[in-house]
């Protein structure tokens, strides 16, 4: 593939089932619209909050809702998703019964960055509709290992799309002139280890002892193995994982004691952790709850939260040892 392979050309030559390719193209088209709206948000009055809270009790930004509408409408007009579920919708929405795939998304990940010019993202998980064709919310309670595809868009200085349909993870850059996604890094390989960690250290007081010990270890100088690590934390999972995918290291959002109603941390399994995990694993990295692979967690609720440790194999294995108390 050369530098001018467009997303549609890549997908049509990739052996990905045409219906699945279509779902990924719809997600990319939605992402393109979100990227456009983000660039003009300050002008169009789409900054700030709506005054409402979402189903999870979190403050909703105007851009959260706009991004959600854009994606729902993209899938509605494309006709290629049976069911869509989102961080911003309490219940899944039936769109096209009979379509072979369902889609779950976080329309605007890291949206607290929008008003201050920071990077944000979109995360999409694509699931197969179960063979019985049932479209209840239970049909979406599938472990990450069975995802058909996943992608994320990072809206930073450039808009970047990273996708996998189970054979490698591939990076596309949005060409602002042609408005095409162009393949710029095929078959990504995450470095086996890195020099960076991303986590919200302000929450240290709420961390469990294993997490604290892990952090202390990363921060302790030891020239022979490259410590101390550096912190890079943007407040956007997509942006932080994107850096780690390219340069190595670990992102983690652990279980903590901050909110007794959220004993498993903050991030949602089905539309944040599972798809980001699939992408990183397809690039040779790992995604864990700290106890085992994210991809093996059997979901019990659509908006379920899990602890997440994702990145280079070396750092994720180390995190698991600290969380298990074996070091
Ligand atoms: P969001 O989907 O509502 O934006 O929440 C997820 C975000 C992640 O992108 C980010 O890593 C994390 O929440 C930041 O949370 P905190 O402010 O607790 O560090
Ligand atoms: Mg999010």
């Amino acid at each position: 593939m050369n530098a001018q392979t467009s997303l549609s050309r890549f997908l049509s030559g990739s052996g990905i089932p045409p219906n699945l390719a279509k779902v990924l193209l719809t997600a990319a088209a939605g992402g393109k619209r979100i990227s456009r709206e983000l660039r003009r948000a300050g002008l169009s009055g789409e900054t700030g909050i709506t005054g409402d809270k979402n189903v999870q009790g979190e403050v909703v930004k105007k851009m959260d809702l706009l991004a959600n509408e854009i994606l729902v409408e993209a899938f509605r007009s494309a006709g290629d998703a049976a069911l869509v579920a989102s961080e911003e919708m309490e219940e899944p929405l039936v769109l096209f019964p009979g379509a072979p795939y369902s889609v779950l998304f976080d329309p605007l990940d890291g949206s607290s960055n929008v008003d201050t010019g920071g990077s944000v993202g979109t995360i999409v998980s694509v699931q197969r509709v179960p063979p019985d064709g049932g479209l209840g919310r239970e049909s979406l309670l599938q472990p990450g290992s069975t995802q058909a595809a996943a992608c994320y868009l990072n809206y930073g200085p450039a808009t970047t799309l990273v996708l996998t349909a189970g054979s490698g993870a591939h990076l596309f850059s949005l060409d602002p002139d042609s408005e095409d996604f162009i393949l710029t890094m095929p078959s990504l390989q995450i470095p086996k280890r890195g020099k960076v960690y991303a986590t919200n250290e302000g929450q240290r007081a709420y961390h469990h002892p294993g997490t604290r010990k892990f952090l202390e270890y990363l921060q302790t100088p030891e020239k022979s193995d490259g410590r101390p690590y550096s912190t890079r934390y943007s407040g956007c999972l997509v942006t932080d994982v994107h850096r780690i995918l390219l340069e190595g290291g670990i992102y983690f959002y652990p279980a903590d004691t901050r909110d007794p109603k959220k004993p498993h941390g903050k991030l949602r399994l089905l539309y944040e952790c599972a798809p980001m995990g699939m992408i990183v694993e397809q690039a040779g990295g790992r995604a864990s709850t700290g106890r085992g692979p994210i991809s093996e967690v059997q979901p019990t609720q659509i908006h379920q939260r899990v602890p997440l440790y994702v990145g280079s194999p070396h750092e994720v294995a180390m995190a698991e040892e600290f969380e298990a108390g074996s070091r």
Side-chain angles (χ1 to χ4, degrees):
M1 301 270 178
N2 63 35
Q4 288 309 304
T5 303
S6 68
L7 177 62
S8 50
R9 198 174 133 209
F10 171 84
L11 289 172
S12 61
S14 65
I16 295 173
N19 282 332
L20 183 55
K22 212 167 154 253
V23 171
L24 289 168
L25 283 170
T26 303
K32 221 186 282 184
R33 266 205 67 198
I34 294 171
S35 151
R36 215 173 302 145
E37 293 295 342
L38 284 166
R39 285 202 304 271
R40 18 188 339 267
L43 302 168
S44 58
E46 290 293 344
T47 51
I49 59 172
T50 62
D52 292 329
K53 299 225 166 142
N54 69 10
V55 335
Q56 301 157 71
E58 295 158 342
V59 169
V60 178
K61 296 260 186 189
K62 291 185 196 166
M63 271 307 301
D64 282 321
L65 286 192
L66 182 57
N68 192 58
E69 271 167 39
I70 288 172
L71 283 177
V72 170
E73 283 319 308
F75 284 106
R76 201 194 295 281
S77 52
D80 47 23
L83 208 59
V84 294
S86 152
E87 178 175 329
E88 302 304 332
M89 305 189 309
E90 182 158 9
E91 291 295 332
L93 189 68
V94 178
L95 288 184
F96 294 95
Y101 297 101
S102 291
V103 180
L104 301 96
F105 43 82
D106 177 354
L108 204 61
D109 179 52
S111 57
S112 74
N113 286 355
V114 167
D115 299 353
T116 52
S119 291
V120 290
T122 294
I123 310 172
V124 179
S125 165
V126 187
Q127 293 187 355
R128 294 176 185 86
V129 173
D132 68 7
L135 290 182
R137 51 171 28 220
E138 318 70 48
S139 72
L140 298 175
L141 301 180
Q142 301 183 28
S145 58
T146 65
Q147 288 171 106
C151 68
Y152 69 74
L153 290 112
N154 187 51
Y155 311 107
T159 292
T160 306
L161 167 74
V162 179
L163 65 78
T164 181
S167 48
H170 312 284
L171 188 154
F172 300 80
S173 304
L174 182 61
D175 178 336
D177 298 325
S178 67
E179 298 226 320
D180 271 338
F181 281 104
I182 304 296
L183 180 64
T184 43
M185 294 175 79
S187 305
L188 294 171
Q189 279 298 317
I190 190 171
K192 300 246 170 305
R193 58 192 293 173
K195 297 186 165 73
V196 159
Y197 68 87
T199 200
N200 184 344
E201 286 189 78
Q203 307 303 319
R204 190 191 184 92
Y206 304 114
H207 285 166
H208 292 297
T211 315
R212 256 188 247 180
K213 244 178 126 183
F214 178 48
L215 255 178
E216 270 160 31
Y217 178 84
L218 296 173
Q219 294 165 346
T220 304
E222 176 51 64
K223 264 204 184 132
S224 65
D225 65 6
R227 285 180 290 145
Y229 284 63
S230 290
T231 319
R232 294 286 182 274
Y233 191 68
S234 72
C236 175
L237 168 70
V238 168
T239 299
D240 289 329
V241 171
H242 188 59
R243 169 192 281 271
I244 283 161
L245 187 59
L246 299 178
E247 296 187 345
I250 184 166
Y251 169 101
F252 56 104
Y253 207 112
D256 60 29
T257 60
R258 179 172 25 162
D259 179 346
K261 286 196 252 131
K262 296 176 192 160
H264 304 297
K266 176 178 183 188
L267 301 179
R268 276 58 52 118
L269 172 59
L270 283 170
Y271 42 80
E272 292 181 320
C273 303
M276 295 306 283
M278 181 180 182
I279 291 165
V280 171
E281 282 180 1
Q282 283 291 322
R286 291 197 50 208
S288 170
T289 61
R291 302 261 181 269
I294 286 283
S295 61
E296 287 174 12
V297 179
Q298 173 60 52
T300 55
Q301 292 165 33
I302 301 282
H303 299 289
Q304 175 175 348
R305 299 173 197 265
V306 283
L308 176 67
Y309 299 78
V310 61
S312 295
H314 176 75
E315 281 80 12
V316 175
M318 218 160 47
E320 285 175 330
E321 288 169 13
F322 278 100
E323 291 299 339
S326 62
R327 41 188 299 184

